[in-house]
Amino acid sequence: MCSKQSIYRATVSAKVAAGRDIVLLTLVPEAGDSLPVAQAGAHIDVHLPDGGVRQYSLLSASPYQIAVKNVRDGRGGSRWLHDDVREGDVLTIGTPRNNFSLRPDSSDVLLLAGGIGVTALLFMYRQLTGQGRNVHLHYWIKSSADALLFDQLVGLEHVTLHECGGRVVSMRSLIAQCPAGTDVYCCGPTRMLEEFASITRDLPPEKVHVERFAPVVTADGVTDRPCHLKLARSGMEIEAEPGQTLLEALIAAGVDMDYSCEEGLCGACETRVLAGQPLHLDTVRSPAEHDRLHTIMPCVSRSRSDELTLDL
Ligand code: FES
């Protein structure tokens, strides 16, 4: 996998246990270098020795810190970071991307976290409390041992730990009780995000913010329609065949694209749509956000119309 996104080399200056099967990695620039500024909600790509790329939310930006849960049956990224990476090793990482940023003008903020999804929300919590803003973080954990940084969180003002054996309880009532106009952010396991989506269906879309690290399951056959792509800037015309993603078709035709996850999760491939009707299958943005921004994630999304014109 490759990408034209800027990459950096960062030294692992510390690697410490931060919960059961969770390590906290602190990344600093190599001597004489610097790393880009990052805001709460951002994630970075970590490049693996086998050429793969994984996304990890930042827990802090100065220095960069990422919390990594070891997923034994995962795709190998977390296992490598847990088992092989040592203090002093140098990682290749990407520019921070932020598809989950805090709205600057929100008066009340509710942060809902499950599992390792708490990483980005803890960064937000620290930033918002530092600014004296009205925020509450709810964190659902299986047990104290399973929580990220439990000892630092327990007893903290405006933080509630729900030790619930893995079941997310009371999310509906918490959202119902918050003042009108509250911005609600959620990151956690897929089941939690599905419940969150169902609970917040009737809230104003601009108040509801979610970040996923697993792709949504889409209806069978939805990607099997051919699509004629017109590239407005280069003048190229490309056919995306059934079974081929738009991104694959673009790259096969030699288009220089930025991309990373290829699962509609990271936002790296976001491209402006100038004409046609996209069929959005990513989880980075809501369809309403795509409509407002006129964008598509070609790594997973397709077209409802026979043609799409892209700003490429
Ligand atoms: S490459 Fe990550 S959203 Fe497209």
Side-chain angles (χ1 to χ4, degrees):
M1 192 185 298
C2 66
S3 158
K4 69 183 178 69
Q5 188 202 25
S6 297
I7 59 170
Y8 299 86
R9 288 166 58 78
T11 304
V12 179
S13 66
K15 178 181 178 182
V16 295
R20 191 188 340 249
D21 285 333
I22 301 173
V23 289
L24 195 57
L25 300 177
T26 303
L27 307 175
V28 297
E30 289 195 294
D33 260 348
S34 60
L35 295 172
V37 174
Q39 305 295 332
H43 67 263
I44 55 168
D45 285 348
V46 174
H47 294 249
L48 311 185
D50 66 1
V53 182
R54 301 288 184 273
Q55 290 75 41
Y56 294 97
S57 293
L58 289 173
L59 178 68
S60 74
S62 186
Y64 286 1
Q65 281 190 311
I66 57 172
V68 181
K69 171 92 179 167
N70 197 355
V71 185
R72 293 284 167 197
D73 57 353
R75 295 178 298 154
S78 66
R79 205 163 49 241
W80 173 68
L81 288 165
H82 270 254
D83 297 347
D84 299 332
V85 168
R86 305 262 180 273
E87 285 182 12
D89 286 354
V90 175
L91 302 185
T92 302
I93 63 174
T95 312
R97 285 193 212 94
N98 202 343
N99 308 309
F100 196 44
S101 50
L102 286 166
R103 281 172 24 113
D105 55 347
S106 47
S107 54
D108 298 285
V109 178
L110 184 65
L111 305 173
L112 307 173
I116 201 66
V118 73
T119 309
L121 299 180
L122 196 46
F123 189 166
M124 291 178 173
Y125 166 84
R126 288 170 173 167
Q127 182 170 314
L128 291 165
T129 50
Q131 294 168 346
R133 290 171 61 190
N134 193 9
V135 57
H136 201 111
L137 169 65
H138 291 268
Y139 180 18
W140 283 269
I141 56 179
K142 268 192 197 141
S143 69
S144 57
D146 290 288
L148 171 67
L149 300 174
F150 180 81
D151 292 342
Q152 292 183 27
L153 292 180
V154 69
L156 217 55
E157 201 178 9
H158 307 303
V159 172
T160 304
L161 296 166
H162 301 264
E163 203 167 325
C164 58
R167 279 189 59 243
V168 174
V169 290
S170 65
M171 185 159 61
R172 184 178 295 278
S173 59
L174 286 170
I175 293 172
Q177 287 162 21
C178 61
T182 299
D183 275 90
V184 192
Y185 293 77
C186 184
C187 189
T190 303
R191 211 162 31 138
M192 177 180 185
L193 297 182
E194 282 168 5
E195 189 180 345
F196 177 74
S198 142
I199 294 169
T200 56
R201 191 172 296 133
D202 296 327
L203 293 181
E206 69 277 12
K207 294 288 179 189
V208 178
H209 315 271
V210 66
E211 176 145 87
R212 294 175 186 272
F213 281 94
V216 286
V217 177
T218 54
D220 286 350
V222 77
T223 61
D224 282 337
R225 178 190 173 115
C227 177
H228 183 73
L229 294 169
K230 290 184 169 178
L231 309 192
R233 279 189 266 150
S234 68
M236 291 172 72
E237 303 208 4
I238 298 166
E239 304 301 329
E241 305 297 338
Q244 185 183 36
T245 68
L246 302 186
L247 179 68
E248 285 169 347
L250 289 161
I251 288 170
V255 179
D256 188 20
M257 292 286 297
D258 199 353
Y259 65 96
S260 177
C261 71
E262 299 184 74
E263 293 186 283
L265 300 169
C266 73
C269 66
E270 187 164 22
T271 302
R272 283 208 339 128
V273 177
L274 302 177
Q277 281 187 299
L279 172 63
H280 298 295
L281 300 174
D282 65 280
T283 53
V284 179
R285 300 196 185 283
S286 67
E289 286 174 318
H290 278 302
D291 287 349
R292 183 166 48 79
L293 298 167
H294 303 289
T295 60
I296 188 172
M297 304 295 168
C299 65
V300 288
S301 301
R302 301 290 294 185
S303 180
R304 292 183 190 282
S305 49
D306 294 336
E307 274 186 14
L308 274 186
T309 305
L310 303 178
D311 187 19
L312 289 170

